[in-house]
PDB file of all heavy atoms in Angstrom:
ATOM      1  N   LYS A1362       0.837  -1.212   0.000  1.00 97.00           N
ATOM      2  CA  LYS A1362      -0.002  -0.007   0.002  1.00 97.00           C
ATOM      3  C   LYS A1362       0.859   1.254  -0.001  1.00 97.00           C
ATOM      4  O   LYS A1362       0.577   2.210  -0.753  1.00 97.00           O
ATOM      5  CB  LYS A1362      -0.926  -0.007   1.216  1.00 97.00           C
ATOM      6  CG  LYS A1362      -2.072  -0.982   1.110  1.00 97.00           C
ATOM      7  CD  LYS A1362      -2.758  -1.200   2.458  1.00 97.00           C
ATOM      8  CE  LYS A1362      -3.360   0.047   3.020  1.00 97.00           C
ATOM      9  NZ  LYS A1362      -4.063  -0.220   4.303  1.00 97.00           N
ATOM     10  N   ALA A1363       1.893   1.252   0.840  1.00 97.00           N
ATOM     11  CA  ALA A1363       2.772   2.411   0.907  1.00 97.00           C
ATOM     12  C   ALA A1363       3.473   2.650  -0.418  1.00 97.00           C
ATOM     13  O   ALA A1363       3.540   3.790  -0.909  1.00 97.00           O
ATOM     14  CB  ALA A1363       3.809   2.232   2.026  1.00 97.00           C
ATOM     15  N   GLY A1364       3.995   1.587  -1.034  1.00 97.00           N
ATOM     16  CA  GLY A1364       4.686   1.720  -2.316  1.00 97.00           C
ATOM     17  C   GLY A1364       3.760   2.153  -3.441  1.00 97.00           C
ATOM     18  O   GLY A1364       4.089   3.028  -4.246  1.00 97.00           O
ATOM     19  N   ALA A1365       2.561   1.522  -3.497  1.00 98.00           N
ATOM     20  CA  ALA A1365       1.618   1.857  -4.561  1.00 98.00           C
ATOM     21  C   ALA A1365       1.165   3.300  -4.462  1.00 98.00           C
ATOM     22  O   ALA A1365       0.984   3.989  -5.487  1.00 98.00           O
ATOM     23  CB  ALA A1365       0.411   0.915  -4.497  1.00 98.00           C
ATOM     24  N   ALA A1366       0.996   3.794  -3.247  1.00 97.00           N
ATOM     25  CA  ALA A1366       0.597   5.196  -3.070  1.00 97.00           C
ATOM     26  C   ALA A1366       1.646   6.149  -3.641  1.00 97.00           C
ATOM     27  O   ALA A1366       1.288   7.172  -4.246  1.00 97.00           O
ATOM     28  CB  ALA A1366       0.367   5.486  -1.579  1.00 97.00           C
ATOM     29  N   GLN A1367       2.926   5.813  -3.455  1.00 97.00           N
ATOM     30  CA  GLN A1367       3.972   6.679  -4.008  1.00 97.00           C
ATOM     31  C   GLN A1367       3.944   6.694  -5.531  1.00 97.00           C
ATOM     32  O   GLN A1367       4.105   7.736  -6.154  1.00 97.00           O
ATOM     33  CB  GLN A1367       5.379   6.232  -3.527  1.00 97.00           C
ATOM     34  CG  GLN A1367       5.503   6.014  -2.031  1.00 97.00           C
ATOM     35  CD  GLN A1367       4.909   7.137  -1.219  1.00 97.00           C
ATOM     36  OE1 GLN A1367       5.248   8.302  -1.402  1.00 97.00           O
ATOM     37  NE2 GLN A1367       4.017   6.778  -0.298  1.00 97.00           N
ATOM     38  N   PHE A1368       3.716   5.521  -6.126  1.00 98.00           N
ATOM     39  CA  PHE A1368       3.654   5.452  -7.591  1.00 98.00           C
ATOM     40  C   PHE A1368       2.478   6.249  -8.122  1.00 98.00           C
ATOM     41  O   PHE A1368       2.569   6.905  -9.169  1.00 98.00           O
ATOM     42  CB  PHE A1368       3.562   4.001  -8.062  1.00 98.00           C
ATOM     43  CG  PHE A1368       4.871   3.299  -8.132  1.00 98.00           C
ATOM     44  CD1 PHE A1368       5.166   2.280  -7.229  1.00 98.00           C
ATOM     45  CD2 PHE A1368       5.839   3.646  -9.069  1.00 98.00           C
ATOM     46  CE1 PHE A1368       6.402   1.614  -7.277  1.00 98.00           C
ATOM     47  CE2 PHE A1368       7.052   3.004  -9.118  1.00 98.00           C
ATOM     48  CZ  PHE A1368       7.346   1.995  -8.231  1.00 98.00           C
ATOM     49  N   ILE A1369       1.346   6.219  -7.398  1.00 98.00           N
ATOM     50  CA  ILE A1369       0.169   6.981  -7.837  1.00 98.00           C
ATOM     51  C   ILE A1369       0.476   8.482  -7.771  1.00 98.00           C
ATOM     52  O   ILE A1369       0.108   9.238  -8.681  1.00 98.00           O
ATOM     53  CB  ILE A1369      -1.057   6.622  -6.975  1.00 98.00           C
ATOM     54  CG1 ILE A1369      -1.470   5.148  -7.208  1.00 98.00           C
ATOM     55  CG2 ILE A1369      -2.209   7.561  -7.274  1.00 98.00           C
ATOM     56  CD1 ILE A1369      -1.870   4.855  -8.646  1.00 98.00           C
ATOM     57  N   VAL A1370       1.096   8.934  -6.686  1.00 98.00           N
ATOM     58  CA  VAL A1370       1.460  10.347  -6.573  1.00 98.00           C
ATOM     59  C   VAL A1370       2.354  10.771  -7.718  1.00 98.00           C
ATOM     60  O   VAL A1370       2.133  11.797  -8.387  1.00 98.00           O
ATOM     61  CB  VAL A1370       2.126  10.643  -5.207  1.00 98.00           C
ATOM     62  CG1 VAL A1370       2.645  12.077  -5.177  1.00 98.00           C
ATOM     63  CG2 VAL A1370       1.143  10.410  -4.060  1.00 98.00           C
ATOM     64  N   TRP A1371       3.386   9.968  -7.988  1.00 98.00           N
ATOM     65  CA  TRP A1371       4.327  10.306  -9.056  1.00 98.00           C
ATOM     66  C   TRP A1371       3.689  10.212 -10.427  1.00 98.00           C
ATOM     67  O   TRP A1371       4.023  10.983 -11.332  1.00 98.00           O
ATOM     68  CB  TRP A1371       5.570   9.455  -8.960  1.00 98.00           C
ATOM     69  CG  TRP A1371       6.547   9.972  -7.965  1.00 98.00           C
ATOM     70  CD1 TRP A1371       6.784   9.524  -6.690  1.00 98.00           C
ATOM     71  CD2 TRP A1371       7.415  11.101  -8.145  1.00 98.00           C
ATOM     72  NE1 TRP A1371       7.733  10.287  -6.069  1.00 98.00           N
ATOM     73  CE2 TRP A1371       8.143  11.267  -6.942  1.00 98.00           C
ATOM     74  CE3 TRP A1371       7.644  11.977  -9.190  1.00 98.00           C
ATOM     75  CZ2 TRP A1371       9.102  12.275  -6.772  1.00 98.00           C
ATOM     76  CZ3 TRP A1371       8.585  12.995  -9.013  1.00 98.00           C
ATOM     77  CH2 TRP A1371       9.293  13.131  -7.824  1.00 98.00           C
ATOM     78  N   HIS A1372       2.759   9.263 -10.601  1.00 98.00           N
ATOM     79  CA  HIS A1372       2.052   9.195 -11.882  1.00 98.00           C
ATOM     80  C   HIS A1372       1.274  10.482 -12.141  1.00 98.00           C
ATOM     81  O   HIS A1372       1.342  11.052 -13.257  1.00 98.00           O
ATOM     82  CB  HIS A1372       1.089   8.009 -11.890  1.00 98.00           C
ATOM     83  CG  HIS A1372       0.070   8.046 -12.983  1.00 98.00           C
ATOM     84  ND1 HIS A1372       0.418   8.024 -14.310  1.00 98.00           N
ATOM     85  CD2 HIS A1372      -1.271   8.184 -12.943  1.00 98.00           C
ATOM     86  CE1 HIS A1372      -0.682   8.093 -15.058  1.00 98.00           C
ATOM     87  NE2 HIS A1372      -1.719   8.206 -14.243  1.00 98.00           N
ATOM     88  N   HIS A1373       0.555  10.948 -11.143  1.00 97.00           N
ATOM     89  CA  HIS A1373      -0.228  12.167 -11.331  1.00 97.00           C
ATOM     90  C   HIS A1373       0.670  13.400 -11.473  1.00 97.00           C
ATOM     91  O   HIS A1373       0.329  14.339 -12.194  1.00 97.00           O
ATOM     92  CB  HIS A1373      -1.210  12.339 -10.172  1.00 97.00           C
ATOM     93  CG  HIS A1373      -2.313  11.351 -10.189  1.00 97.00           C
ATOM     94  ND1 HIS A1373      -2.939  10.887  -9.053  1.00 97.00           N
ATOM     95  CD2 HIS A1373      -2.899  10.692 -11.231  1.00 97.00           C
ATOM     96  CE1 HIS A1373      -3.875  10.028  -9.385  1.00 97.00           C
ATOM     97  NE2 HIS A1373      -3.876   9.888 -10.687  1.00 97.00           N
ATOM     98  N   LEU A1374       1.821  13.390 -10.801  1.00 97.00           N
ATOM     99  CA  LEU A1374       2.773  14.488 -10.991  1.00 97.00           C
ATOM    100  C   LEU A1374       3.292  14.520 -12.428  1.00 97.00           C
ATOM    101  O   LEU A1374       3.483  15.602 -12.999  1.00 97.00           O
ATOM    102  CB  LEU A1374       3.948  14.333 -10.022  1.00 97.00           C
ATOM    103  CG  LEU A1374       3.811  14.988  -8.648  1.00 97.00           C
ATOM    104  CD1 LEU A1374       4.988  14.594  -7.763  1.00 97.00           C
ATOM    105  CD2 LEU A1374       3.746  16.504  -8.788  1.00 97.00           C
ATOM    106  N   ALA A1375       3.555  13.329 -12.987  1.00 97.00           N
ATOM    107  CA  ALA A1375       4.073  13.275 -14.355  1.00 97.00           C
ATOM    108  C   ALA A1375       3.011  13.519 -15.394  1.00 97.00           C
ATOM    109  O   ALA A1375       3.287  14.073 -16.470  1.00 97.00           O
ATOM    110  CB  ALA A1375       4.750  11.919 -14.593  1.00 97.00           C
ATOM    111  N   PHE A1376       1.760  13.115 -15.092  1.00 96.00           N
ATOM    112  CA  PHE A1376       0.687  13.204 -16.067  1.00 96.00           C
ATOM    113  C   PHE A1376      -0.002  14.569 -16.092  1.00 96.00           C
ATOM    114  O   PHE A1376      -0.377  15.063 -17.139  1.00 96.00           O
ATOM    115  CB  PHE A1376      -0.342  12.099 -15.781  1.00 96.00           C
ATOM    116  CG  PHE A1376      -1.377  11.935 -16.855  1.00 96.00           C
ATOM    117  CD1 PHE A1376      -1.104  11.201 -17.994  1.00 96.00           C
ATOM    118  CD2 PHE A1376      -2.646  12.510 -16.727  1.00 96.00           C
ATOM    119  CE1 PHE A1376      -2.057  11.056 -18.996  1.00 96.00           C
ATOM    120  CE2 PHE A1376      -3.588  12.365 -17.720  1.00 96.00           C
ATOM    121  CZ  PHE A1376      -3.301  11.630 -18.857  1.00 96.00           C
ATOM    122  N   TYR A1377      -0.156  15.167 -14.902  1.00 94.00           N
ATOM    123  CA  TYR A1377      -0.851  16.444 -14.778  1.00 94.00           C
ATOM    124  C   TYR A1377       0.163  17.549 -14.450  1.00 94.00           C
ATOM    125  O   TYR A1377       1.117  17.340 -13.737  1.00 94.00           O
ATOM    126  CB  TYR A1377      -1.903  16.401 -13.673  1.00 94.00           C
ATOM    127  CG  TYR A1377      -3.016  15.421 -13.913  1.00 94.00           C
ATOM    128  CD1 TYR A1377      -3.067  14.207 -13.242  1.00 94.00           C
ATOM    129  CD2 TYR A1377      -4.039  15.705 -14.809  1.00 94.00           C
ATOM    130  CE1 TYR A1377      -4.077  13.298 -13.448  1.00 94.00           C
ATOM    131  CE2 TYR A1377      -5.069  14.815 -15.030  1.00 94.00           C
ATOM    132  CZ  TYR A1377      -5.091  13.603 -14.343  1.00 94.00           C
ATOM    133  OH  TYR A1377      -6.106  12.722 -14.566  1.00 94.00           O
ATOM    134  N   GLY A1378      -0.116  18.716 -14.921  1.00 80.00           N
ATOM    135  CA  GLY A1378       0.665  19.875 -14.518  1.00 80.00           C
ATOM    136  C   GLY A1378       1.895  20.088 -15.380  1.00 80.00           C
ATOM    137  O   GLY A1378       2.486  19.134 -15.902  1.00 80.00           O
ATOM    138  N   PRO A1379       2.326  21.327 -15.513  1.00 94.00           N
ATOM    139  CA  PRO A1379       3.420  21.675 -16.414  1.00 94.00           C
ATOM    140  C   PRO A1379       4.825  21.398 -15.851  1.00 94.00           C
ATOM    141  O   PRO A1379       5.785  21.394 -16.603  1.00 94.00           O
ATOM    142  CB  PRO A1379       3.234  23.187 -16.615  1.00 94.00           C
ATOM    143  CG  PRO A1379       2.525  23.643 -15.375  1.00 94.00           C
ATOM    144  CD  PRO A1379       1.639  22.500 -14.962  1.00 94.00           C
ATOM    145  N   MET A1380       4.965  21.130 -14.555  1.00 97.00           N
ATOM    146  CA  MET A1380       6.309  20.903 -14.012  1.00 97.00           C
ATOM    147  C   MET A1380       6.987  19.722 -14.714  1.00 97.00           C
ATOM    148  O   MET A1380       8.169  19.787 -15.058  1.00 97.00           O
ATOM    149  CB  MET A1380       6.272  20.657 -12.497  1.00 97.00           C
ATOM    150  CG  MET A1380       6.005  21.892 -11.671  1.00 97.00           C
ATOM    151  SD  MET A1380       6.327  21.652  -9.910  1.00 97.00           S
ATOM    152  CE  MET A1380       5.241  20.275  -9.530  1.00 97.00           C
ATOM    153  N   ALA A1381       6.260  18.635 -14.892  1.00 97.00           N
ATOM    154  CA  ALA A1381       6.828  17.453 -15.525  1.00 97.00           C
ATOM    155  C   ALA A1381       7.222  17.732 -16.979  1.00 97.00           C
ATOM    156  O   ALA A1381       8.220  17.188 -17.461  1.00 97.00           O
ATOM    157  CB  ALA A1381       5.839  16.296 -15.481  1.00 97.00           C
ATOM    158  N   ASP A1382       6.464  18.584 -17.659  1.00 95.00           N
ATOM    159  CA  ASP A1382       6.824  18.929 -19.049  1.00 95.00           C
ATOM    160  C   ASP A1382       8.161  19.629 -19.116  1.00 95.00           C
ATOM    161  O   ASP A1382       8.970  19.366 -20.020  1.00 95.00           O
ATOM    162  CB  ASP A1382       5.730  19.822 -19.641  1.00 95.00           C
ATOM    163  CG  ASP A1382       4.363  19.136 -19.719  1.00 95.00           C
ATOM    164  OD1 ASP A1382       4.349  17.881 -19.770  1.00 95.00           O
ATOM    165  OD2 ASP A1382       3.331  19.830 -19.687  1.00 95.00           O
ATOM    166  N   HIS A1383       8.421  20.522 -18.177  1.00 96.00           N
ATOM    167  CA  HIS A1383       9.680  21.257 -18.172  1.00 96.00           C
ATOM    168  C   HIS A1383      10.830  20.387 -17.678  1.00 96.00           C
ATOM    169  O   HIS A1383      11.964  20.532 -18.126  1.00 96.00           O
ATOM    170  CB  HIS A1383       9.548  22.517 -17.311  1.00 96.00           C
ATOM    171  CG  HIS A1383       8.543  23.488 -17.816  1.00 96.00           C
ATOM    172  ND1 HIS A1383       8.582  24.017 -19.090  1.00 96.00           N
ATOM    173  CD2 HIS A1383       7.476  24.050 -17.195  1.00 96.00           C
ATOM    174  CE1 HIS A1383       7.567  24.863 -19.251  1.00 96.00           C
ATOM    175  NE2 HIS A1383       6.873  24.881 -18.119  1.00 96.00           N
ATOM    176  N   ALA A1384      10.536  19.492 -16.712  1.00 96.00           N
ATOM    177  CA  ALA A1384      11.601  18.664 -16.119  1.00 96.00           C
ATOM    178  C   ALA A1384      11.906  17.429 -16.947  1.00 96.00           C
ATOM    179  O   ALA A1384      12.884  16.727 -16.675  1.00 96.00           O
ATOM    180  CB  ALA A1384      11.191  18.241 -14.721  1.00 96.00           C
ATOM    181  N   ARG A1385      11.121  17.147 -17.956  1.00 96.00           N
ATOM    182  CA  ARG A1385      11.239  15.912 -18.714  1.00 96.00           C
ATOM    183  C   ARG A1385      12.627  15.771 -19.362  1.00 96.00           C
ATOM    184  O   ARG A1385      13.144  14.659 -19.501  1.00 96.00           O
ATOM    185  CB  ARG A1385      10.157  15.858 -19.790  1.00 96.00           C
ATOM    186  CG  ARG A1385      10.150  14.547 -20.596  1.00 96.00           C
ATOM    187  CD  ARG A1385       9.028  14.545 -21.625  1.00 96.00           C
ATOM    188  NE  ARG A1385       9.067  13.320 -22.392  1.00 96.00           N
ATOM    189  CZ  ARG A1385       9.855  13.100 -23.451  1.00 96.00           C
ATOM    190  NH1 ARG A1385      10.689  14.064 -23.856  1.00 96.00           N
ATOM    191  NH2 ARG A1385       9.832  11.926 -24.067  1.00 96.00           N
ATOM    192  N   ILE A1386      13.252  16.875 -19.717  1.00 96.00           N
ATOM    193  CA  ILE A1386      14.553  16.826 -20.386  1.00 96.00           C
ATOM    194  C   ILE A1386      15.618  16.190 -19.490  1.00 96.00           C
ATOM    195  O   ILE A1386      16.591  15.610 -19.982  1.00 96.00           O
ATOM    196  CB  ILE A1386      14.992  18.246 -20.817  1.00 96.00           C
ATOM    197  CG1 ILE A1386      16.199  18.167 -21.758  1.00 96.00           C
ATOM    198  CG2 ILE A1386      15.312  19.100 -19.610  1.00 96.00           C
ATOM    199  CD1 ILE A1386      16.566  19.509 -22.367  1.00 96.00           C
ATOM    200  N   ILE A1387      15.414  16.232 -18.181  1.00 96.00           N
ATOM    201  CA  ILE A1387      16.376  15.643 -17.236  1.00 96.00           C
ATOM    202  C   ILE A1387      16.342  14.122 -17.298  1.00 96.00           C
ATOM    203  O   ILE A1387      17.374  13.446 -17.305  1.00 96.00           O
ATOM    204  CB  ILE A1387      16.098  16.121 -15.793  1.00 96.00           C
ATOM    205  CG1 ILE A1387      16.226  17.649 -15.712  1.00 96.00           C
ATOM    206  CG2 ILE A1387      17.041  15.442 -14.801  1.00 96.00           C
ATOM    207  CD1 ILE A1387      15.839  18.198 -14.354  1.00 96.00           C
ATOM    208  N   ALA A1388      15.142  13.549 -17.321  1.00 96.00           N
ATOM    209  CA  ALA A1388      14.985  12.077 -17.352  1.00 96.00           C
ATOM    210  C   ALA A1388      13.745  11.743 -18.166  1.00 96.00           C
ATOM    211  O   ALA A1388      12.704  11.369 -17.604  1.00 96.00           O
ATOM    212  CB  ALA A1388      14.880  11.530 -15.931  1.00 96.00           C
ATOM    213  N   PRO A1389      13.832  11.852 -19.487  1.00 97.00           N
ATOM    214  CA  PRO A1389      12.622  11.656 -20.312  1.00 97.00           C
ATOM    215  C   PRO A1389      12.010  10.254 -20.189  1.00 97.00           C
ATOM    216  O   PRO A1389      10.798  10.125 -20.148  1.00 97.00           O
ATOM    217  CB  PRO A1389      13.149  11.912 -21.730  1.00 97.00           C
ATOM    218  CG  PRO A1389      14.619  11.753 -21.665  1.00 97.00           C
ATOM    219  CD  PRO A1389      15.009  12.190 -20.294  1.00 97.00           C
ATOM    220  N   ALA A1390      12.852   9.221 -20.117  1.00 97.00           N
ATOM    221  CA  ALA A1390      12.329   7.857 -20.026  1.00 97.00           C
ATOM    222  C   ALA A1390      11.552   7.659 -18.720  1.00 97.00           C
ATOM    223  O   ALA A1390      10.489   7.019 -18.697  1.00 97.00           O
ATOM    224  CB  ALA A1390      13.450   6.845 -20.135  1.00 97.00           C
ATOM    225  N   VAL A1391      12.082   8.195 -17.646  1.00 97.00           N
ATOM    226  CA  VAL A1391      11.433   8.054 -16.349  1.00 97.00           C
ATOM    227  C   VAL A1391      10.088   8.805 -16.323  1.00 97.00           C
ATOM    228  O   VAL A1391       9.065   8.264 -15.887  1.00 97.00           O
ATOM    229  CB  VAL A1391      12.336   8.566 -15.224  1.00 97.00           C
ATOM    230  CG1 VAL A1391      11.601   8.586 -13.875  1.00 97.00           C
ATOM    231  CG2 VAL A1391      13.600   7.711 -15.133  1.00 97.00           C
ATOM    232  N   ILE A1392      10.100  10.039 -16.785  1.00 97.00           N
ATOM    233  CA  ILE A1392       8.865  10.838 -16.808  1.00 97.00           C
ATOM    234  C   ILE A1392       7.806  10.172 -17.699  1.00 97.00           C
ATOM    235  O   ILE A1392       6.628  10.105 -17.325  1.00 97.00           O
ATOM    236  CB  ILE A1392       9.143  12.271 -17.313  1.00 97.00           C
ATOM    237  CG1 ILE A1392      10.090  12.996 -16.344  1.00 97.00           C
ATOM    238  CG2 ILE A1392       7.837  13.045 -17.457  1.00 97.00           C
ATOM    239  CD1 ILE A1392       9.528  13.253 -14.977  1.00 97.00           C
ATOM    240  N   ASP A1393       8.245   9.670 -18.867  1.00 97.00           N
ATOM    241  CA  ASP A1393       7.289   9.009 -19.763  1.00 97.00           C
ATOM    242  C   ASP A1393       6.688   7.767 -19.123  1.00 97.00           C
ATOM    243  O   ASP A1393       5.489   7.512 -19.259  1.00 97.00           O
ATOM    244  CB  ASP A1393       7.996   8.636 -21.074  1.00 97.00           C
ATOM    245  CG  ASP A1393       8.322   9.850 -21.921  1.00 97.00           C
ATOM    246  OD1 ASP A1393       7.799  10.943 -21.628  1.00 97.00           O
ATOM    247  OD2 ASP A1393       9.150   9.735 -22.848  1.00 97.00           O
ATOM    248  N   TRP A1394       7.522   6.974 -18.408  1.00 97.00           N
ATOM    249  CA  TRP A1394       7.005   5.752 -17.772  1.00 97.00           C
ATOM    250  C   TRP A1394       6.050   6.109 -16.644  1.00 97.00           C
ATOM    251  O   TRP A1394       4.977   5.489 -16.514  1.00 97.00           O
ATOM    252  CB  TRP A1394       8.176   4.918 -17.213  1.00 97.00           C
ATOM    253  CG  TRP A1394       7.696   3.632 -16.611  1.00 97.00           C
ATOM    254  CD1 TRP A1394       7.452   2.469 -17.250  1.00 97.00           C
ATOM    255  CD2 TRP A1394       7.378   3.402 -15.219  1.00 97.00           C
ATOM    256  NE1 TRP A1394       7.001   1.516 -16.354  1.00 97.00           N
ATOM    257  CE2 TRP A1394       6.951   2.067 -15.103  1.00 97.00           C
ATOM    258  CE3 TRP A1394       7.432   4.206 -14.089  1.00 97.00           C
ATOM    259  CZ2 TRP A1394       6.573   1.501 -13.888  1.00 97.00           C
ATOM    260  CZ3 TRP A1394       7.044   3.653 -12.863  1.00 97.00           C
ATOM    261  CH2 TRP A1394       6.631   2.325 -12.785  1.00 97.00           C
ATOM    262  N   LEU A1395       6.401   7.119 -15.870  1.00 97.00           N
ATOM    263  CA  LEU A1395       5.528   7.521 -14.773  1.00 97.00           C
ATOM    264  C   LEU A1395       4.179   8.048 -15.289  1.00 97.00           C
ATOM    265  O   LEU A1395       3.131   7.782 -14.696  1.00 97.00           O
ATOM    266  CB  LEU A1395       6.206   8.610 -13.926  1.00 97.00           C
ATOM    267  CG  LEU A1395       7.365   8.161 -13.038  1.00 97.00           C
ATOM    268  CD1 LEU A1395       8.063   9.382 -12.430  1.00 97.00           C
ATOM    269  CD2 LEU A1395       6.879   7.227 -11.933  1.00 97.00           C
ATOM    270  N   SER A1396       4.207   8.776 -16.377  1.00 96.00           N
ATOM    271  CA  SER A1396       2.965   9.367 -16.895  1.00 96.00           C
ATOM    272  C   SER A1396       2.068   8.338 -17.563  1.00 96.00           C
ATOM    273  O   SER A1396       0.853   8.581 -17.711  1.00 96.00           O
ATOM    274  CB  SER A1396       3.289  10.485 -17.887  1.00 96.00           C
ATOM    275  OG  SER A1396       3.917   9.949 -19.066  1.00 96.00           O
ATOM    276  N   SER A1397       2.608   7.182 -17.928  1.00 95.00           N
ATOM    277  CA  SER A1397       1.780   6.194 -18.611  1.00 95.00           C
ATOM    278  C   SER A1397       1.617   4.913 -17.790  1.00 95.00           C
ATOM    279  O   SER A1397       0.540   4.623 -17.281  1.00 95.00           O
ATOM    280  CB  SER A1397       2.398   5.860 -19.986  1.00 95.00           C
ATOM    281  OG  SER A1397       3.740   5.383 -19.829  1.00 95.00           O
ATOM    282  N   SER A1398       2.696   4.175 -17.604  1.00 95.00           N
ATOM    283  CA  SER A1398       2.591   2.835 -17.007  1.00 95.00           C
ATOM    284  C   SER A1398       2.407   2.838 -15.509  1.00 95.00           C
ATOM    285  O   SER A1398       1.844   1.878 -14.949  1.00 95.00           O
ATOM    286  CB  SER A1398       3.848   2.012 -17.363  1.00 95.00           C
ATOM    287  OG  SER A1398       3.987   1.881 -18.751  1.00 95.00           O
ATOM    288  N   ALA A1399       2.869   3.843 -14.800  1.00 97.00           N
ATOM    289  CA  ALA A1399       2.784   3.836 -13.337  1.00 97.00           C
ATOM    290  C   ALA A1399       1.357   3.810 -12.814  1.00 97.00           C
ATOM    291  O   ALA A1399       1.114   3.462 -11.660  1.00 97.00           O
ATOM    292  CB  ALA A1399       3.546   5.039 -12.758  1.00 97.00           C
TER     293      ALA A1399
END
C-alpha cells in the first residue's frame, strides 16, 4: 500500500501539470514511464 501510493502520486505528478513537461529533459524515459505505465 505504501509503495503503490507513491507510484500513484508520481504518476499524477508526471501526467498532470506543467512541471513534468519542463523537467522531462532531465529524465525523459522516467517521466514518460511515470505518466503512462505507473
Side-chain angles (χ1 to χ4, degrees):
K1362 287 165 62 178
Q1367 310 314 306
F1368 279 111
I1369 294 299
V1370 173
W1371 278 102
H1372 165 63
H1373 290 150
L1374 270 173
F1376 190 81
Y1377 297 104
M1380 286 193 303
D1382 298 334
H1383 298 304
R1385 184 179 178 277
I1386 192 172
I1387 299 174
V1391 174
I1392 297 294
D1393 290 345
W1394 183 84
L1395 287 172
S1396 66
S1397 57
S1398 300

